[in-house]
Amino acid sequence: MKHFKSIQPLLSYTRRAVDTYNMIEQGEKIAVGVSGGKDSMALLCAMKALSVFHPSNFSVVAITLDMGFPNADLSPIKKLCEELEVELHVIKTDIFEIVFNIRKEKCPCSLCAKLRRGALHEAALSIGCKKVALGHHFDDAVETFMMNLFNEGRIGCFSPVTYLDRKDITLIRPFIYLPEKMVTGFINRENIEITKKVCPEDGNTDREKIKQLLYSLEKEDKGLKQRIFGAMERGEIDGFKVSDYSRNKKKD
């Protein structure tokens, strides 16, 4: 199995989230959703490395959805899984055809996300996994919170751990404490190839607008995103909670 020299910081943040939220139980097989982007590729590396020494003795498999985009290249995912000695399941879907050609959605992101979630959950269950790890990180959490506030006028976010009773499957997000810049740094330092973006809507989403807004505000007011995240923890928004690490850091 390939070892990465700069993975230790990722492991520290990942284990903190896993242990704070009791994300993994003894002997579980965890399916990691791997899109081929930097977040999911880094998550796969971190989860595989964590599985080597974590006391829960869990195992990791990868699931990738082939959504039918023209010119999509999944070879970087296959290469990384081979290097990590991780079993990869590629699931063919008609998501691109449905969203862009049949439905011709003017705002395709919502339907696309819904179809992807359904396909990923079904794929995980079909290979005996009742737990799926997703690559949402610290910045994603803050951006989602702000999107819900600005676009829907509600206080909410995705949860660190989500149990879907209709499917009997649990979603975990081990990167919720990890800043996006650390993900990017790891990918660049280790020269991990990621898949090229082929979605025609890439860079033209509400999330991208919020990301740019937060970036500009953070430049003028350092620590803004950390304070927003802290408010989510203290308010226990959708399952977030203040970790022992955060309490101890505040005391220091």
Side-chain angles (χ1 to χ4, degrees), residues 195-246:
T195 59
K196 294 181 180 179
K197 297 179 179 180
V198 293
C199 177
E201 292 296 311
D202 182 62
N204 188 36
T205 63
D206 285 342
R207 179 173 295 277
E208 185 61 29
K209 295 172 185 175
I210 291 293
K211 181 186 288 288
Q212 293 305 318
L213 173 61
L214 286 168
Y215 175 76
S216 63
L217 292 173
E218 181 80 13
K219 286 179 67 176
E220 299 179 5
D221 188 1
K222 298 295 183 183
L224 174 65
K225 288 191 288 187
Q226 189 63 57
R227 292 195 297 275
I228 294 173
F229 190 87
M232 292 166 60
E233 290 184 314
R234 291 187 295 276
E236 298 183 350
I237 303 300
D238 289 326
F240 280 80
K241 62 183 179 181
V242 179
S243 69
D244 290 338
Y245 174 88
S246 298

Short mmCIF file of all heavy atoms in Angstrom, two decimals, residues 195-246:
data_model
loop_
_atom_site.label_atom_id
_atom_site.label_comp_id
_atom_site.label_asym_id
_atom_site.label_seq_id
_atom_site.Cartn_x
_atom_site.Cartn_y
_atom_site.Cartn_z
N THR A 195 -9.63 13.86 -11.32
CA THR A 195 -10.34 13.81 -12.59
C THR A 195 -10.66 15.23 -13.06
O THR A 195 -10.92 16.12 -12.25
CB THR A 195 -11.65 13.02 -12.48
OG1 THR A 195 -12.48 13.63 -11.48
CG2 THR A 195 -11.37 11.58 -12.08
N LYS A 196 -10.66 15.42 -14.35
CA LYS A 196 -10.99 16.72 -14.92
C LYS A 196 -12.49 16.98 -14.78
O LYS A 196 -13.31 16.08 -14.90
CB LYS A 196 -10.59 16.77 -16.40
CG LYS A 196 -9.08 16.68 -16.62
CD LYS A 196 -8.74 16.76 -18.09
CE LYS A 196 -7.23 16.68 -18.31
NZ LYS A 196 -6.88 16.73 -19.76
N LYS A 197 -12.83 18.24 -14.51
CA LYS A 197 -14.23 18.62 -14.37
C LYS A 197 -14.90 18.65 -15.74
O LYS A 197 -14.43 19.32 -16.65
CB LYS A 197 -14.33 19.98 -13.68
CG LYS A 197 -13.78 19.97 -12.26
CD LYS A 197 -13.87 21.34 -11.61
CE LYS A 197 -13.33 21.30 -10.18
NZ LYS A 197 -13.41 22.63 -9.53
N VAL A 198 -15.99 17.92 -15.85
CA VAL A 198 -16.67 17.82 -17.14
C VAL A 198 -18.11 18.32 -17.08
O VAL A 198 -18.78 18.40 -18.11
CB VAL A 198 -16.66 16.36 -17.67
CG1 VAL A 198 -15.26 15.93 -18.02
CG2 VAL A 198 -17.28 15.41 -16.63
N CYS A 199 -18.60 18.67 -15.88
CA CYS A 199 -19.98 19.15 -15.77
C CYS A 199 -20.09 20.56 -16.35
O CYS A 199 -19.32 21.45 -15.98
CB CYS A 199 -20.43 19.16 -14.31
SG CYS A 199 -22.10 19.84 -14.09
N PRO A 200 -21.05 20.80 -17.25
CA PRO A 200 -21.20 22.13 -17.85
C PRO A 200 -21.61 23.22 -16.86
O PRO A 200 -21.46 24.40 -17.15
CB PRO A 200 -22.31 21.91 -18.89
CG PRO A 200 -23.04 20.68 -18.46
CD PRO A 200 -22.00 19.82 -17.81
N GLU A 201 -22.10 22.82 -15.67
CA GLU A 201 -22.51 23.79 -14.67
C GLU A 201 -21.40 24.13 -13.69
O GLU A 201 -21.61 24.94 -12.78
CB GLU A 201 -23.73 23.26 -13.89
CG GLU A 201 -24.99 23.15 -14.71
CD GLU A 201 -25.47 24.51 -15.20
OE1 GLU A 201 -25.57 25.44 -14.37
OE2 GLU A 201 -25.74 24.64 -16.40
N ASP A 202 -20.25 23.53 -13.85
CA ASP A 202 -19.17 23.75 -12.91
C ASP A 202 -18.78 25.23 -12.85
O ASP A 202 -18.61 25.88 -13.88
CB ASP A 202 -17.93 22.93 -13.32
CG ASP A 202 -16.80 23.09 -12.34
OD1 ASP A 202 -16.98 22.72 -11.17
OD2 ASP A 202 -15.75 23.62 -12.74
N GLY A 203 -18.67 25.77 -11.64
CA GLY A 203 -18.29 27.16 -11.45
C GLY A 203 -19.42 28.14 -11.59
O GLY A 203 -19.22 29.35 -11.47
N ASN A 204 -20.64 27.63 -11.82
CA ASN A 204 -21.79 28.52 -12.02
C ASN A 204 -22.93 28.15 -11.07
O ASN A 204 -24.09 28.09 -11.47
CB ASN A 204 -22.26 28.43 -13.48
CG ASN A 204 -23.33 29.48 -13.81
OD1 ASN A 204 -23.27 30.59 -13.31
ND2 ASN A 204 -24.30 29.10 -14.62
N THR A 205 -22.59 27.90 -9.82
CA THR A 205 -23.57 27.44 -8.85
C THR A 205 -23.71 28.42 -7.69
O THR A 205 -22.86 29.30 -7.49
CB THR A 205 -23.15 26.07 -8.27
OG1 THR A 205 -21.90 26.23 -7.56
CG2 THR A 205 -22.97 25.04 -9.38
N ASP A 206 -24.79 28.27 -6.93
CA ASP A 206 -24.99 29.10 -5.74
C ASP A 206 -23.85 28.90 -4.75
O ASP A 206 -23.42 29.85 -4.08
CB ASP A 206 -26.33 28.76 -5.06
CG ASP A 206 -27.51 29.32 -5.83
OD1 ASP A 206 -27.31 30.22 -6.65
OD2 ASP A 206 -28.64 28.84 -5.60
N ARG A 207 -23.37 27.66 -4.66
CA ARG A 207 -22.27 27.38 -3.72
C ARG A 207 -21.03 28.18 -4.10
O ARG A 207 -20.34 28.72 -3.22
CB ARG A 207 -21.95 25.89 -3.69
CG ARG A 207 -20.80 25.54 -2.74
CD ARG A 207 -20.63 24.04 -2.61
NE ARG A 207 -21.78 23.43 -1.97
CZ ARG A 207 -21.98 23.39 -0.65
NH1 ARG A 207 -21.09 23.95 0.17
NH2 ARG A 207 -23.03 22.80 -0.16
N GLU A 208 -20.73 28.26 -5.37
CA GLU A 208 -19.55 29.00 -5.80
C GLU A 208 -19.69 30.49 -5.47
O GLU A 208 -18.72 31.15 -5.07
CB GLU A 208 -19.34 28.82 -7.30
CG GLU A 208 -18.06 29.45 -7.84
CD GLU A 208 -16.80 28.88 -7.22
OE1 GLU A 208 -16.81 27.69 -6.83
OE2 GLU A 208 -15.80 29.62 -7.13
N LYS A 209 -20.90 31.02 -5.59
CA LYS A 209 -21.13 32.43 -5.26
C LYS A 209 -20.91 32.67 -3.76
O LYS A 209 -20.29 33.66 -3.37
CB LYS A 209 -22.54 32.83 -5.66
CG LYS A 209 -22.79 32.79 -7.16
CD LYS A 209 -24.25 33.02 -7.50
CE LYS A 209 -24.50 32.87 -8.99
NZ LYS A 209 -25.95 32.98 -9.33
N ILE A 210 -21.43 31.76 -2.94
CA ILE A 210 -21.24 31.90 -1.49
C ILE A 210 -19.76 31.73 -1.14
O ILE A 210 -19.23 32.43 -0.26
CB ILE A 210 -22.09 30.86 -0.73
CG1 ILE A 210 -23.58 31.19 -0.85
CG2 ILE A 210 -21.69 30.78 0.74
CD1 ILE A 210 -24.00 32.47 -0.15
N LYS A 211 -19.08 30.80 -1.80
CA LYS A 211 -17.65 30.57 -1.55
C LYS A 211 -16.87 31.86 -1.81
O LYS A 211 -16.01 32.25 -1.00
CB LYS A 211 -17.14 29.45 -2.46
CG LYS A 211 -15.65 29.12 -2.27
CD LYS A 211 -15.17 28.11 -3.29
CE LYS A 211 -15.72 26.75 -2.99
NZ LYS A 211 -15.07 26.15 -1.79
N GLN A 212 -17.16 32.52 -2.91
CA GLN A 212 -16.44 33.74 -3.26
C GLN A 212 -16.78 34.87 -2.28
O GLN A 212 -15.91 35.67 -1.92
CB GLN A 212 -16.77 34.15 -4.69
CG GLN A 212 -16.24 33.19 -5.75
CD GLN A 212 -14.74 32.95 -5.63
OE1 GLN A 212 -13.97 33.88 -5.39
NE2 GLN A 212 -14.33 31.70 -5.79
N LEU A 213 -18.04 34.94 -1.84
CA LEU A 213 -18.43 35.94 -0.86
C LEU A 213 -17.69 35.75 0.45
O LEU A 213 -17.14 36.70 1.03
CB LEU A 213 -19.95 35.87 -0.62
CG LEU A 213 -20.49 36.76 0.51
CD1 LEU A 213 -20.22 38.23 0.21
CD2 LEU A 213 -21.98 36.51 0.73
N LEU A 214 -17.65 34.51 0.94
CA LEU A 214 -16.96 34.22 2.19
C LEU A 214 -15.46 34.49 2.06
O LEU A 214 -14.81 34.95 3.00
CB LEU A 214 -17.21 32.78 2.61
CG LEU A 214 -18.60 32.47 3.16
CD1 LEU A 214 -18.83 30.98 3.27
CD2 LEU A 214 -18.78 33.14 4.54
N TYR A 215 -14.92 34.19 0.90
CA TYR A 215 -13.49 34.44 0.66
C TYR A 215 -13.17 35.93 0.80
O TYR A 215 -12.19 36.32 1.46
CB TYR A 215 -13.10 33.95 -0.73
CG TYR A 215 -11.67 34.27 -1.12
CD1 TYR A 215 -10.60 33.55 -0.60
CD2 TYR A 215 -11.40 35.32 -2.01
CE1 TYR A 215 -9.29 33.85 -0.95
CE2 TYR A 215 -10.09 35.62 -2.36
CZ TYR A 215 -9.05 34.90 -1.83
OH TYR A 215 -7.75 35.20 -2.18
N SER A 216 -14.01 36.77 0.20
CA SER A 216 -13.77 38.21 0.26
C SER A 216 -13.97 38.74 1.68
O SER A 216 -13.21 39.61 2.14
CB SER A 216 -14.69 38.94 -0.72
OG SER A 216 -16.06 38.76 -0.38
N LEU A 217 -14.97 38.22 2.39
CA LEU A 217 -15.22 38.66 3.77
C LEU A 217 -14.09 38.21 4.70
O LEU A 217 -13.68 38.95 5.60
CB LEU A 217 -16.56 38.12 4.27
CG LEU A 217 -17.81 38.69 3.60
CD1 LEU A 217 -19.05 37.93 4.07
CD2 LEU A 217 -17.95 40.18 3.89
N GLU A 218 -13.59 36.99 4.48
CA GLU A 218 -12.52 36.46 5.31
C GLU A 218 -11.23 37.26 5.15
O GLU A 218 -10.44 37.40 6.09
CB GLU A 218 -12.29 34.99 4.97
CG GLU A 218 -11.21 34.29 5.77
CD GLU A 218 -11.66 33.83 7.15
OE1 GLU A 218 -12.88 33.83 7.42
OE2 GLU A 218 -10.80 33.47 7.96
N LYS A 219 -11.00 37.78 3.95
CA LYS A 219 -9.81 38.59 3.71
C LYS A 219 -9.81 39.84 4.58
O LYS A 219 -8.76 40.29 5.04
CB LYS A 219 -9.72 38.97 2.23
CG LYS A 219 -9.31 37.82 1.32
CD LYS A 219 -9.28 38.26 -0.13
CE LYS A 219 -8.18 39.27 -0.39
NZ LYS A 219 -8.07 39.62 -1.83
N GLU A 220 -10.99 40.40 4.81
CA GLU A 220 -11.11 41.62 5.61
C GLU A 220 -11.30 41.32 7.10
O GLU A 220 -11.02 42.18 7.94
CB GLU A 220 -12.29 42.45 5.10
CG GLU A 220 -12.15 42.91 3.66
CD GLU A 220 -13.34 43.71 3.19
OE1 GLU A 220 -14.23 43.98 4.02
OE2 GLU A 220 -13.40 44.06 2.00
N ASP A 221 -11.80 40.13 7.40
CA ASP A 221 -12.13 39.79 8.79
C ASP A 221 -11.65 38.37 9.08
O ASP A 221 -12.40 37.41 8.98
CB ASP A 221 -13.63 39.92 9.01
CG ASP A 221 -14.04 39.77 10.48
OD1 ASP A 221 -13.14 39.59 11.32
OD2 ASP A 221 -15.25 39.83 10.77
N LYS A 222 -10.38 38.23 9.42
CA LYS A 222 -9.77 36.92 9.65
C LYS A 222 -10.48 36.15 10.75
O LYS A 222 -10.82 36.72 11.80
CB LYS A 222 -8.28 37.07 10.02
CG LYS A 222 -7.43 37.70 8.95
CD LYS A 222 -7.35 36.82 7.70
CE LYS A 222 -6.41 37.44 6.67
NZ LYS A 222 -6.37 36.64 5.42
N GLY A 223 -10.73 34.89 10.50
CA GLY A 223 -11.37 34.05 11.50
C GLY A 223 -12.88 34.03 11.40
O GLY A 223 -13.55 33.39 12.23
N LEU A 224 -13.44 34.70 10.40
CA LEU A 224 -14.89 34.77 10.26
C LEU A 224 -15.50 33.38 10.10
O LEU A 224 -16.48 33.03 10.78
CB LEU A 224 -15.27 35.64 9.05
CG LEU A 224 -16.76 35.66 8.69
CD1 LEU A 224 -17.57 36.30 9.80
CD2 LEU A 224 -16.97 36.38 7.36
N LYS A 225 -14.93 32.56 9.21
CA LYS A 225 -15.49 31.23 8.97
C LYS A 225 -15.39 30.35 10.21
O LYS A 225 -16.30 29.56 10.50
CB LYS A 225 -14.79 30.56 7.77
CG LYS A 225 -15.18 31.18 6.44
CD LYS A 225 -14.69 30.36 5.25
CE LYS A 225 -13.22 30.46 5.07
NZ LYS A 225 -12.77 29.81 3.80
N GLN A 226 -14.31 30.50 10.95
CA GLN A 226 -14.15 29.72 12.18
C GLN A 226 -15.21 30.12 13.21
O GLN A 226 -15.75 29.27 13.93
CB GLN A 226 -12.76 29.92 12.77
CG GLN A 226 -12.43 28.99 13.92
CD GLN A 226 -12.40 27.52 13.51
OE1 GLN A 226 -11.65 27.13 12.61
NE2 GLN A 226 -13.22 26.70 14.15
N ARG A 227 -15.55 31.40 13.26
CA ARG A 227 -16.57 31.86 14.20
C ARG A 227 -17.96 31.35 13.80
O ARG A 227 -18.77 31.01 14.66
CB ARG A 227 -16.55 33.38 14.31
CG ARG A 227 -15.28 33.92 14.98
CD ARG A 227 -15.43 35.36 15.39
NE ARG A 227 -15.62 36.26 14.26
CZ ARG A 227 -14.64 36.78 13.54
NH1 ARG A 227 -13.37 36.46 13.79
NH2 ARG A 227 -14.90 37.62 12.55
N ILE A 228 -18.22 31.33 12.49
CA ILE A 228 -19.49 30.79 12.01
C ILE A 228 -19.60 29.32 12.38
O ILE A 228 -20.63 28.85 12.87
CB ILE A 228 -19.63 30.99 10.49
CG1 ILE A 228 -19.74 32.47 10.14
CG2 ILE A 228 -20.87 30.24 9.96
CD1 ILE A 228 -19.70 32.76 8.65
N PHE A 229 -18.51 28.58 12.16
CA PHE A 229 -18.50 27.15 12.48
C PHE A 229 -18.69 26.95 13.98
O PHE A 229 -19.43 26.06 14.42
CB PHE A 229 -17.18 26.52 12.03
CG PHE A 229 -17.15 25.02 12.11
CD1 PHE A 229 -17.60 24.24 11.05
CD2 PHE A 229 -16.66 24.38 13.24
CE1 PHE A 229 -17.57 22.86 11.11
CE2 PHE A 229 -16.63 22.99 13.32
CZ PHE A 229 -17.08 22.23 12.24
N GLY A 230 -18.04 27.79 14.77
CA GLY A 230 -18.18 27.70 16.23
C GLY A 230 -19.62 27.96 16.67
O GLY A 230 -20.12 27.31 17.59
N ALA A 231 -20.28 28.89 15.99
CA ALA A 231 -21.68 29.17 16.31
C ALA A 231 -22.56 27.97 15.98
O ALA A 231 -23.51 27.65 16.71
CB ALA A 231 -22.16 30.40 15.54
N MET A 232 -22.24 27.27 14.89
CA MET A 232 -22.98 26.05 14.52
C MET A 232 -22.81 24.99 15.60
O MET A 232 -23.76 24.29 15.95
CB MET A 232 -22.48 25.54 13.17
CG MET A 232 -22.81 26.43 11.99
SD MET A 232 -21.87 26.02 10.50
CE MET A 232 -22.37 24.31 10.23
N GLU A 233 -21.59 24.88 16.13
CA GLU A 233 -21.33 23.90 17.19
C GLU A 233 -22.08 24.27 18.48
O GLU A 233 -22.77 23.42 19.07
CB GLU A 233 -19.83 23.82 17.47
CG GLU A 233 -19.02 23.16 16.38
CD GLU A 233 -17.56 23.03 16.78
OE1 GLU A 233 -16.98 24.02 17.30
OE2 GLU A 233 -16.99 21.94 16.59
N ARG A 234 -21.94 25.51 18.88
CA ARG A 234 -22.57 25.94 20.14
C ARG A 234 -24.09 25.89 20.04
O ARG A 234 -24.78 25.63 21.04
CB ARG A 234 -22.10 27.34 20.52
CG ARG A 234 -20.63 27.40 20.94
CD ARG A 234 -20.26 28.76 21.47
NE ARG A 234 -20.34 29.79 20.44
CZ ARG A 234 -19.36 30.05 19.57
NH1 ARG A 234 -18.23 29.37 19.61
NH2 ARG A 234 -19.50 31.02 18.68
N GLY A 235 -24.63 26.15 18.85
CA GLY A 235 -26.07 26.08 18.65
C GLY A 235 -26.57 24.68 18.37
O GLY A 235 -27.77 24.47 18.22
N GLU A 236 -25.62 23.73 18.29
CA GLU A 236 -25.95 22.33 18.00
C GLU A 236 -26.85 22.22 16.77
O GLU A 236 -27.85 21.51 16.75
CB GLU A 236 -26.61 21.67 19.22
CG GLU A 236 -25.70 21.65 20.43
CD GLU A 236 -26.30 20.95 21.64
OE1 GLU A 236 -27.50 20.63 21.60
OE2 GLU A 236 -25.56 20.71 22.61
N ILE A 237 -26.43 22.94 15.70
CA ILE A 237 -27.19 22.94 14.46
C ILE A 237 -27.08 21.58 13.78
O ILE A 237 -25.99 21.11 13.46
CB ILE A 237 -26.66 24.04 13.51
CG1 ILE A 237 -26.72 25.42 14.18
CG2 ILE A 237 -27.44 24.03 12.19
CD1 ILE A 237 -28.10 25.86 14.60
N ASP A 238 -28.21 20.92 13.59
CA ASP A 238 -28.27 19.65 12.86
C ASP A 238 -27.22 18.63 13.31
O ASP A 238 -26.56 18.00 12.48
CB ASP A 238 -28.16 19.89 11.35
CG ASP A 238 -29.41 20.56 10.80
OD1 ASP A 238 -30.50 20.27 11.31
OD2 ASP A 238 -29.29 21.37 9.87
N GLY A 239 -27.06 18.50 14.62
CA GLY A 239 -26.18 17.47 15.14
C GLY A 239 -24.76 17.90 15.41
O GLY A 239 -23.97 17.11 15.96
N PHE A 240 -24.38 19.12 15.05
CA PHE A 240 -23.05 19.61 15.40
C PHE A 240 -22.96 19.80 16.91
O PHE A 240 -23.96 20.07 17.58
CB PHE A 240 -22.75 20.94 14.70
CG PHE A 240 -22.32 20.79 13.27
CD1 PHE A 240 -23.25 20.58 12.26
CD2 PHE A 240 -20.98 20.86 12.92
CE1 PHE A 240 -22.86 20.44 10.94
CE2 PHE A 240 -20.57 20.71 11.60
CZ PHE A 240 -21.52 20.51 10.60
N LYS A 241 -21.77 19.66 17.44
CA LYS A 241 -21.58 19.87 18.87
C LYS A 241 -20.15 20.32 19.13
O LYS A 241 -19.25 20.11 18.31
CB LYS A 241 -21.86 18.58 19.65
CG LYS A 241 -20.94 17.40 19.30
CD LYS A 241 -21.35 16.16 20.06
CE LYS A 241 -20.45 14.98 19.70
NZ LYS A 241 -20.85 13.74 20.42
N VAL A 242 -19.95 20.96 20.27
CA VAL A 242 -18.61 21.42 20.63
C VAL A 242 -17.79 20.22 21.08
O VAL A 242 -18.17 19.51 22.02
CB VAL A 242 -18.69 22.47 21.76
CG1 VAL A 242 -17.28 22.94 22.14
CG2 VAL A 242 -19.52 23.67 21.33
N SER A 243 -16.67 19.99 20.42
CA SER A 243 -15.82 18.85 20.76
C SER A 243 -14.96 19.15 21.98
O SER A 243 -14.77 20.30 22.35
CB SER A 243 -14.92 18.49 19.58
OG SER A 243 -13.95 19.51 19.38
N ASP A 244 -14.43 18.10 22.60
CA ASP A 244 -13.51 18.28 23.73
C ASP A 244 -12.29 19.08 23.29
O ASP A 244 -11.75 19.89 24.05
CB ASP A 244 -13.07 16.91 24.26
CG ASP A 244 -14.21 16.19 24.96
OD1 ASP A 244 -15.16 16.85 25.40
OD2 ASP A 244 -14.15 14.94 25.05
N TYR A 245 -11.87 18.88 22.04
CA TYR A 245 -10.72 19.62 21.50
C TYR A 245 -11.01 21.11 21.52
O TYR A 245 -10.17 21.91 21.94
CB TYR A 245 -10.43 19.15 20.07
CG TYR A 245 -9.37 19.95 19.36
CD1 TYR A 245 -8.02 19.60 19.47
CD2 TYR A 245 -9.70 21.05 18.58
CE1 TYR A 245 -7.05 20.33 18.80
CE2 TYR A 245 -8.73 21.79 17.92
CZ TYR A 245 -7.41 21.42 18.03
OH TYR A 245 -6.45 22.15 17.39
N SER A 246 -12.20 21.50 21.07
CA SER A 246 -12.56 22.92 21.02
C SER A 246 -12.66 23.50 22.42
O SER A 246 -12.21 24.62 22.66
CB SER A 246 -13.90 23.09 20.29
OG SER A 246 -13.81 22.65 18.96
#
